[in-house]
Amino acid sequence: MATKKNRTPNVENDSWVVIAPASVTDIPKHDANPAFVRLRNPRTDAGSLYMLGSGDLQLYEVKAFEEHFHSWFVGQTVQRDGRLLFVTPMDPLYLILPYLIKSGKEGKFQPVDQVVTDEEFPVCSRLLSCTHSLASLHHIAEEKEVGSRKFHRYSEEKTINWLKKKVERTVTALKKRKVSVGEGVKSTTYIRVKSESDCCEEDYLRYAHGLISEYINEDLSKALLGHLQLPELTSPKETEPPSKKRKLSDKPVEAGEDYTKFNSADFARKPAKKLTAAQKSLAKVDKTGMKPMSSFFSPKISIRF
Amino acid sequence: MDLSTFEKDNSVSCRLASQIPDVCRTEDCCLGIDEAGRGPVLGPMVYGICFCPVSKKEELKDLKVADSKTLTEAERENLFQKLDEARSYVGWALEILSPNTISTSMLQRTKYNLNALSHDTAIGLVQYSLESGVQLKEIYVDTVGPAEKYEEKLSQLFPGIKVTVRPKADSLFPIVSAASICAKVARDCVVKGWKFAEDMGEVDTDYGSGYPNDPKTKAWLLKHLDPVFGYPQFVRFSWSTAQTLMDSKAVTVHWYDEEEDGEKAAQRQNNRSMLSYFSASGGGIDQNPTHQTHRFFTERRLRSLDTL
């Protein structure tokens, strides 16, 4: 091939390939079509794409499968991006939680519709229309009823218990789906003859905790880890890797073994050579704060969860 | 020549063969190999073998078979007729390599070049004649690539058979000329009667010789270029003529195994610059400490979206 091909910039698509449950389009009311909405991502605090099913009855998260060198043939057309969107049901409590945590700092019982407001993402108030929202608020908040009105106050204790149950249910799902949770990377298409009996409960718990942590903030994730009685893994990257270099001494450099003796006929050990002027001046250089070259090439052990 | 087996599905290769004459099973035989349609950008490449008892070599000469290139189409057809009439002692076999086979071989991930394809086809045909019981003692081949190497390769594969690889073998040995006539006649037939698998509407069948330098062929290639799919299977995609036209006139398509370089490619492939390892942070550590997506998602290439 003589010419190098230039990539044309990605053009915005006006159509997508989506896999969504049928419930997305259950239409109880005429004017309430399912819609993609931007809401505050509880993990990153930035905006992410979600979907509200028809009538705002159910919340869905949107994940995109994306890999290079993929395109779609859709009917009689070609779609440039090989992206596949997954719309999957999601518990709206995860998205309501950050608002409750925020107002919980004031320590007051408040009506929840006053709490779940966001200037940047005004759509968030529609989260409260979801079937599960109001009915399950008691998992994360204390409730008080005054007359016909309900007031709520965030409870960390309740929330952690709720999240713990989520982790346990995730563990069950992981086991059922035979998801590989061990440290080693395994191909999902690889068929294992032996069942993974070597995967201990802790691996499952850690994996499930990691998955749930995708939907909660960092502090909560750490608190949950403690509650699950899992010690926090410290990555060894914080500490300096052990230097492989031998300690420098003031004495002149001498090889540990003298291979030259095998070359000489009499096998006599020759006296150590004196340092050259250049070596001497090198040895005098101030080495404080300098890293040995080898430290850049030592294995990086990072544990992600 | 009955080409219906090939025409049933012209996307794959196909073998056609005559009856094996009885004398070829009992007497020492010679065999000639030649090909037709190596250079064209259009249509199949056809490999042909012809064999007859060594004792009948002179009779073959009397049929006045000569290098197919020096003959007109009518003369070739006439000679093929004569070979067919001599079926009591002359046998032939053909391998029609469809243009699609050529394209996919040459453009697959582990490249399979035309010379290798040619060699393997020739070897396959010799193997076929041996399996059919032909008492082979001599093989004559027109050269593909360096003659000595090819000769050595064939000699090793077929011990006990005298292999002669010569340039211009088709004009030197009548049995090779006969093979070349069989191959050429088959190729002409296939090209003339090509049935397009693609729905192309009115196809202009005036594509000239099919060689890249033929202006008619070039004009045809320009006319039938589809921006998305390129060409029908009749065209050899691996030919630079076809590739150049597709590069300039059709939509660019990127493949996983394509060579790419430059900063953009590196960035796309998530490569790190060597320099990053020497930066102040000590390097090697992920620059984004805020949040790392769980491996459940990264392993499955799933990510959240900001917007559609």
Side-chain angles (χ1 to χ4, degrees):
Chain A
M1 221 169 284
T3 50
K4 280 266 182 293
K5 293 186 247 178
N6 287 318
R7 299 195 146 248
T8 40
N10 254 315
V11 251
E12 286 299 316
N13 281 86
D14 54 359
S15 59
W16 332 279
V17 184
V18 184
I19 291 184
S23 62
V24 167
T25 49
D26 288 347
I27 301 176
K29 287 183 261 172
H30 281 294
D31 53 342
N33 286 326
F36 285 111
V37 289
R38 280 190 87 223
L39 292 164
R40 196 179 287 283
N41 185 316
R43 176 70 181 186
T44 61
D45 205 36
S48 279
L49 200 68
Y50 296 88
M51 182 182 254
L52 281 165
S54 51
D56 292 354
L57 291 184
Q58 168 69 2
L59 174 73
Y60 301 87
E61 71 171 323
V62 181
K63 291 271 187 208
F65 168 81
E66 255 178 341
E67 229 177 2
H68 294 297
F69 308 107
H70 285 71
S71 291
W72 289 108
F73 282 107
V74 183
Q76 292 298 310
T77 59
V78 181
Q79 191 163 314
R80 194 180 188 282
D81 73 336
R83 198 161 75 167
L84 178 59
L85 298 185
F86 288 94
V87 172
T88 47
M90 179 178 176
D91 191 337
L93 275 197
Y94 284 116
L95 294 197
I96 294 170
L97 187 57
Y99 297 105
L100 268 170
I101 293 177
K102 209 172 134 199
S103 76
K105 285 178 184 132
E106 297 162 30
K108 287 186 292 191
F109 280 87
Q110 285 180 67
V112 75
D113 53 338
Q114 274 176 36
V115 171
V116 187
T117 53
D118 197 324
E119 270 177 34
E120 207 182 328
F121 305 101
V123 196
C124 76
S125 59
R126 283 164 68 183
L127 284 169
L128 296 173
S129 324
C130 295
T131 345
H132 293 292
S133 299
L134 296 177
S136 56
L137 270 177
H138 63 91
H139 287 304
I140 57 171
E142 291 164 66
E143 279 178 322
K144 216 179 235 181
E145 219 162 326
V146 178
S148 61
R149 291 204 74 178
K150 268 190 178 175
F151 298 84
H152 290 89
R153 187 173 69 184
Y154 170 66
S155 154
E156 174 158 332
E157 194 197 329
K158 281 185 152 200
T159 304
I160 292 285
N161 278 326
W162 172 67
L163 288 171
K164 197 184 166 191
K165 276 183 209 146
K166 290 272 188 198
V167 169
E168 281 158 7
R169 290 173 81 165
T170 308
V171 167
T172 317
L174 289 172
K175 283 180 178 166
K176 206 171 141 194
R177 295 295 173 99
K178 295 191 169 64
V179 175
S180 161
V181 296
E183 268 303 306
V185 176
K186 285 171 192 127
S187 164
T188 43
T189 49
Y190 177 74
I191 297 156
R192 282 170 283 274
V193 181
K194 272 199 295 181
S195 63
E196 277 196 41
S197 51
D198 55 330
C199 259
C200 58
E201 198 63 24
E202 190 187 320
D203 283 337
Y204 277 110
L205 270 181
R206 241 180 234 291
Y207 196 96
H209 169 263
L211 263 177
I212 296 295
S213 296
E214 285 289 311
Y215 301 92
I216 51 177
N217 70 33
E218 192 99 39
D219 294 339
L220 214 46
S221 164
K222 275 186 188 150
L224 179 61
L225 197 65
H227 197 68
L228 291 166
Q229 283 158 353
L230 293 172
E232 216 172 313
L233 290 177
T234 48
S235 103
K237 73 187 172 198
E238 324 271 288
T239 52
E240 279 285 305
S243 170
K244 290 196 185 81
K245 205 175 165 188
R246 205 168 303 169
K247 273 249 155 86
L248 282 175
S249 67
D250 297 333
K251 284 179 192 157
V253 180
E254 195 184 353
E257 271 182 84
D258 185 6
Y259 294 104
T260 57
K261 67 185 175 191
F262 299 113
N263 295 331
S264 58
D266 54 0
F267 274 60
R269 215 191 153 106
K270 282 170 190 159
K273 273 182 189 157
K274 280 196 172 166
L275 287 178
T276 64
Q279 281 171 320
K280 269 183 195 161
S281 65
L282 256 179
K284 279 182 209 156
V285 168
D286 181 11
K287 294 187 189 69
T288 52
M290 279 175 139
K291 270 189 181 177
M293 194 69 173
S294 59
S295 75
F296 294 101
F297 298 97
S298 58
K300 298 263 146 42
I301 310 139
S302 68
I303 292 158
R304 275 182 269 149
F305 53 88
Chain B
M1 193 177 284
D2 179 22
L3 293 166
S4 55
T5 355
F6 178 69
E7 278 165 355
K8 238 180 264 165
D9 180 4
N10 60 24
S11 67
V12 293
S13 296
C14 159
R15 181 174 293 166
L16 300 173
S18 71
Q19 285 279 336
I20 309 285
D22 287 335
V23 280
C24 293
R25 291 202 170 94
T26 50
E27 281 186 47
D28 285 359
C29 290
C30 60
L31 180 142
I33 310 176
D34 201 16
E35 112 276 298
R38 191 179 168 77
V41 61
L42 301 178
M45 178 161 88
V46 180
Y47 251 82
I49 56 165
C50 236
F51 46 88
C52 73
V54 179
S55 57
K56 300 276 189 182
K57 263 189 193 170
E58 288 310 304
E59 282 176 53
L60 203 63
K61 223 173 237 172
D62 296 338
L63 288 178
K64 296 210 170 55
V65 288
D67 175 9
S68 66
K69 288 185 201 81
T70 63
L71 303 168
T72 64
E73 204 175 321
E75 282 173 322
R76 282 198 300 262
E77 300 235 358
N78 192 25
L79 276 170
F80 181 72
Q81 206 60 44
K82 278 190 181 168
L83 282 171
D84 197 41
E85 281 158 19
R87 67 171 81 94
S88 62
Y89 64 94
V90 179
W92 53 265
L94 296 171
E95 184 85 29
I96 305 173
L97 297 170
S98 70
N100 191 43
T101 305
I102 298 169
S103 303
T104 49
S105 299
M106 291 173 74
L107 295 173
Q108 69 191 3
R109 271 193 202 196
T110 38
K111 303 285 175 271
Y112 182 33
N113 71 35
L114 200 64
N115 275 4
L117 187 63
S118 297
H119 286 189
D120 292 346
T121 309
I123 290 161
L125 282 168
V126 173
Q127 201 76 51
Y128 160 79
S129 66
L130 285 172
E131 279 161 17
S132 311
V134 178
Q135 297 299 307
L136 275 188
K137 287 291 169 293
E138 301 166 13
I139 296 178
Y140 300 93
V141 201
D142 203 342
T143 171
V144 172
E148 302 86 45
K149 267 198 178 168
Y150 194 20
E151 196 170 285
E152 198 186 302
K153 185 176 173 182
L154 290 175
S155 303
Q156 270 178 359
L157 275 167
F158 304 109
I161 301 176
K162 187 176 155 281
V163 181
T164 313
V165 180
R166 273 304 146 68
K168 300 235 161 56
D170 50 351
S171 51
L172 294 171
F173 311 105
I175 196 69
V176 181
S177 313
S180 95
I181 284 163
C182 294
K184 187 78 175 141
V185 168
R187 170 162 157 96
D188 286 346
C189 278
V190 169
V191 170
K192 217 184 278 171
W194 187 267
K195 291 195 174 57
F196 288 90
E198 298 80 6
D199 179 16
M200 310 220 308
E202 277 286 297
V203 190
D204 177 6
T205 49
D206 188 18
Y207 25 69
S209 66
Y211 278 87
N213 56 5
D214 186 331
K216 267 189 177 172
T217 303
K218 265 206 160 151
W220 189 89
L221 284 172
L222 265 174
K223 193 176 160 190
H224 292 279
L225 177 71
D226 181 279
V228 172
F229 297 101
Y231 288 110
Q233 287 184 352
F234 185 49
V235 177
R236 300 183 191 173
F237 282 65
S238 45
W239 255 238
S240 65
T241 326
Q243 274 176 1
T244 320
L245 282 171
M246 285 194 291
D247 280 346
S248 59
K249 299 266 190 312
V251 174
T252 317
V253 179
H254 298 278
W255 298 98
Y256 191 77
D257 61 344
E258 118 193 341
E259 279 172 46
E260 254 188 316
D261 50 25
E263 250 173 77
K264 267 196 181 156
Q267 195 185 21
R268 202 179 47 69
Q269 288 162 8
N270 252 330
N271 287 351
R272 298 179 73 99
S273 156
M274 191 68 185
L275 289 173
S276 73
Y277 292 96
F278 298 99
S279 62
S281 72
I285 299 154
D286 207 282
Q287 298 297 312
N288 176 20
T290 48
H291 173 230
Q292 199 149 34
T293 311
H294 190 262
R295 67 181 162 108
F296 177 86
F297 296 113
T298 51
E299 279 169 6
R300 287 159 181 78
R301 302 278 182 279
L302 291 171
R303 62 180 194 87
S304 299
L305 292 176
D306 288 351
T307 47
L308 264 187

